[in-house]
Amino acid sequence: MSETDFGDYEGKKVKLITLTNSNGMRAELISYGATLKSLIVKDKYGIDRDVVLGYNQINGFINDDVFMGATVGRVCNRIAYASFELDDKKYHLPANNGKHHLHGGGCLSKRVWEVYEIRQCVGMQSVKFTTVSRDGEFGYPSDVRFEVTFEMNDYNKLNVLLEAFSLSDTNTIVNLTIHPYFNLDPQASADVLDHELSIKANTYLPVDETALVTGMALYNLLNNFRRIPFKGDSAYNSVWPSWPPYLAVLGVHCMYTILFENVSFSGEICSLNGDLKKLREGVCLKELKTTAAIDIDNDFILDCKPGEEALRFCEICSLNGDLKKLREGVCLNELKTTAAIDIDNDFILDCKPGDEALRLRSERSGIILAVSTSYPIIHLYLAQHFNNVNGKIAQPYGKYAGIAIEAQKHSNAINIVSDLLLCSEYYGKWLLYENQAWK
């Protein structure tokens, strides 16, 4: 383990912390953005390979606009139209991705964090970075302390713990991740399209032409956290300026969940049996339309309390066709050329926290990267918008130079489902990167 200077930013020293293990695995971390600068592992020939894209100098990270290896937040990924409503108050954020707010706008990635704690014991080394984001920074409410801990052990595992602590009596929103781009081949290789990827997921969230998740939720209008406006409301045009009425955009590829109650009623009441029973937990409307015994035009009797969520829509797509191969493992080049999407999506995990959620491997280098997480989502991005990014090597990073693997909550979650850090509450999520032997 070592600690050295890595330059300056806004009058503050940037520190470079290097964690190592007994197998020669090495992680280089910088306090600017609590960033994973490098992850060095041995390939099948015993040669050290840096499997993370990045920069050799601090200016590269300062001028970076693709969040290379950084801790991103307060809220990672996109917030629709750079605004959200919380506790009956509208918050406006900087729009840094077209009309949308992306990765906190640089709130956490474009600052120097404090090196709070360095620990070393037999078989383990770790560093904890911490920073405080004040109320109103980048438009977010509440004072929040953020902590990111990187821990490496002799089992070739790099654990990352992402934490947030509310410091005020105002509610806020949090969705943290780190944003490394992986390339398991020598980085002079042009792209990662020869890598094989498998993920424990059966569904993903589709996106529109601006890479915004197209699913949304409809809440009971008495919901205590927010009121989502319908077309015709005065607030509608400011929140969804270019969206048609809700039901028109949802279509039949939507999850539909609703809560019910048996009440005293003199007419005929039917139980939700057979395929209709799936409505309780959530069912695709297309499946319901083709299998249910009725063509739905019915009253459903709610069994939730007034003010509780009664109904939810969220567009979800199954991993069908070529995307279905992701479950067992598919070459990224095959996926890119045959699948219906250019990957920049949330994939909904169906494995338990702690189980392997994703595996990326390269036959060329013999390196296998396994990812586990306590998050429900892994967002994958194939760097298709890279355009000659000047990184660590002489050859610029081009299209598909790496794959970003971002464990997180749902993208745009505050405008789809509740994504709150209540006052005096704690937020903690972890993810694990494991370098496995070639099999």
Side-chain angles (χ1 to χ4, degrees):
M1 172 182 277
S2 65
E3 177 181 354
T4 59
D5 290 339
F6 190 67
D8 301 89
Y9 179 69
E10 295 185 343
K12 296 181 180 179
K13 289 288 185 183
V14 177
K15 296 296 183 178
L16 169 64
I17 311 296
T18 302
L19 309 179
T20 60
N21 72 6
S22 60
N23 303 312
M25 184 174 173
R26 187 165 77 251
E28 296 181 351
L29 306 141
I30 60 172
S31 57
Y32 179 82
T35 296
L36 178 60
K37 173 185 175 292
S38 296
L39 184 61
I40 294 95
V41 301
K42 293 190 181 297
D43 67 10
K44 62 184 178 182
Y45 305 108
I47 300 173
D48 285 346
R49 299 294 186 191
D50 188 353
V51 297
V52 171
L53 306 189
Y55 308 97
N56 291 320
Q57 307 294 330
I58 184 60
N59 285 341
F61 290 98
I62 292 172
N63 297 323
D64 167 78
D65 61 359
V66 294
F67 304 92
M68 200 82 80
T71 297
V72 293
R74 296 184 183 190
V75 173
C76 67
N77 225 293
R78 291 164 181 84
I79 294 180
Y81 299 102
S83 65
F84 65 93
E85 189 174 326
L86 179 62
D87 294 336
D88 297 322
K89 183 176 179 180
K90 186 74 170 289
Y91 292 92
H92 297 277
L93 313 172
N96 62 327
N97 185 243
K99 298 178 180 179
H100 310 308
H101 178 76
L102 177 65
H103 292 325
C107 178
L108 300 183
S109 58
K110 295 296 184 181
R111 65 169 64 197
V112 178
W113 294 51
E114 177 189 354
V115 180
Y116 182 77
E117 181 182 59
I118 296 176
R119 297 178 59 207
Q120 184 171 4
C121 61
V122 176
M124 187 276 290
Q125 298 179 355
S126 70
V127 59
K128 178 184 289 187
F129 299 104
T130 184
T131 191
V132 174
S133 177
R134 295 299 179 185
D135 178 62
E137 283 187 355
F138 288 80
Y140 290 99
S142 184
D143 294 339
V144 181
R145 185 174 85 251
F146 295 94
E147 296 182 358
V148 180
T149 303
F150 295 88
E151 177 189 289
M152 178 175 287
N153 61 36
D154 283 343
Y155 297 99
N156 283 357
K157 295 180 179 181
L158 179 66
N159 292 287
V160 184
L161 177 62
L162 303 154
E163 300 174 282
F165 304 83
S166 176
L167 302 178
S168 66
D169 57 0
T170 305
N171 296 333
T172 189
I173 58 175
V174 170
N175 189 4
L176 299 175
T177 194
I178 65 169
H179 201 279
Y181 292 87
F182 292 97
N183 187 328
L184 306 186
D185 287 342
Q187 289 193 17
S189 61
D191 54 51
V192 295
L193 296 181
D194 287 336
H195 288 36
E196 181 183 279
L197 174 71
S198 60
I199 186 168
K200 299 289 181 63
N202 289 314
T203 52
Y204 71 96
L205 301 182
V207 295
D208 63 17
E209 65 279 1
T210 67
L212 182 71
V213 170
T214 57
M216 65 192 75
L218 297 180
Y219 286 90
N220 186 301
L221 292 183
L222 298 178
N223 186 289
N224 291 325
F225 288 122
R226 86 176 68 68
R227 179 179 182 275
I228 296 183
F230 285 79
K231 192 170 186 179
D233 286 357
S234 59
Y236 178 89
N237 290 332
S238 63
V239 179
W240 314 111
S242 62
W243 289 23
Y246 280 136
L247 297 182
V249 300
L250 292 171
V252 295
H253 296 287
C254 303
M255 290 298 292
Y256 181 26
T257 307
I258 194 164
L259 307 176
F260 308 94
E261 178 184 28
N262 287 326
V263 297
S264 177
F265 179 63
S266 59
E268 183 180 6
I269 295 178
C270 295
S271 298
L272 294 177
N273 294 319
D275 292 296
L276 283 175
K277 195 171 184 179
K278 299 175 183 177
L279 274 171
R280 183 82 195 191
E281 302 301 324
V283 62
C284 176
L285 292 180
K286 184 176 183 180
E287 177 185 352
L288 190 66
K289 180 179 75 70
T290 55
T291 61
I294 62 172
D295 202 358
I296 294 178
D297 186 5
N298 302 79
D299 291 348
F300 289 87
I301 305 168
L302 303 179
D303 70 352
C304 57
K305 297 177 182 178
E308 291 183 341
E309 179 184 328
L311 178 149
R312 177 181 297 178
F313 279 106
C314 187
E315 186 176 6
I316 296 176
C317 291
S318 297
L319 294 178
N320 293 320
D322 293 295
L323 282 175
K324 196 170 185 179
K325 299 174 183 177
L326 271 172
R327 183 83 195 188
E328 301 302 323
V330 62
C331 176
L332 290 176
N333 187 52
E334 178 184 352
L335 190 66
K336 180 186 75 71
T337 55
T338 61
I341 62 171
D342 203 357
I343 293 178
D344 188 2
N345 299 80
D346 290 354
F347 288 81
I348 303 170
L349 302 178
D350 65 359
C351 58
K352 297 177 181 178
D355 289 350
E356 181 181 308
L358 177 147
R359 175 174 291 204
L360 183 70
R361 71 176 190 170
S362 165
E363 185 171 3
R364 179 179 176 184
S365 68
I367 296 172
I368 298 176
L369 176 75
V371 178
S372 304
T373 182
S374 61
Y375 275 116
I377 296 286
I378 285 183
H379 186 95
L380 297 177
Y381 169 53
L382 257 180
Q384 52 263 35
H385 301 299
F386 272 28
N387 183 20
N388 294 326
V389 178
N390 292 313
K392 297 174 183 175
I393 59 176
Q395 177 182 333
Y397 299 138
K399 194 174 184 179
Y400 308 118
I403 180 170
I405 301 172
E406 310 160 46
Q408 58 175 66
K409 297 180 185 178
H410 294 277
S411 301
N412 194 30
I414 185 59
N415 290 315
I416 299 178
V417 292
S418 178
D419 186 28
L420 303 175
L421 176 66
L422 302 179
C423 55
S424 302
E425 279 197 343
Y426 160 80
Y427 168 105
K429 294 290 181 181
W430 59 266
L431 59 152
L432 180 150
Y433 299 108
E434 180 181 1
N435 174 227
Q436 298 182 347
W438 177 256
K439 298 177 182 179

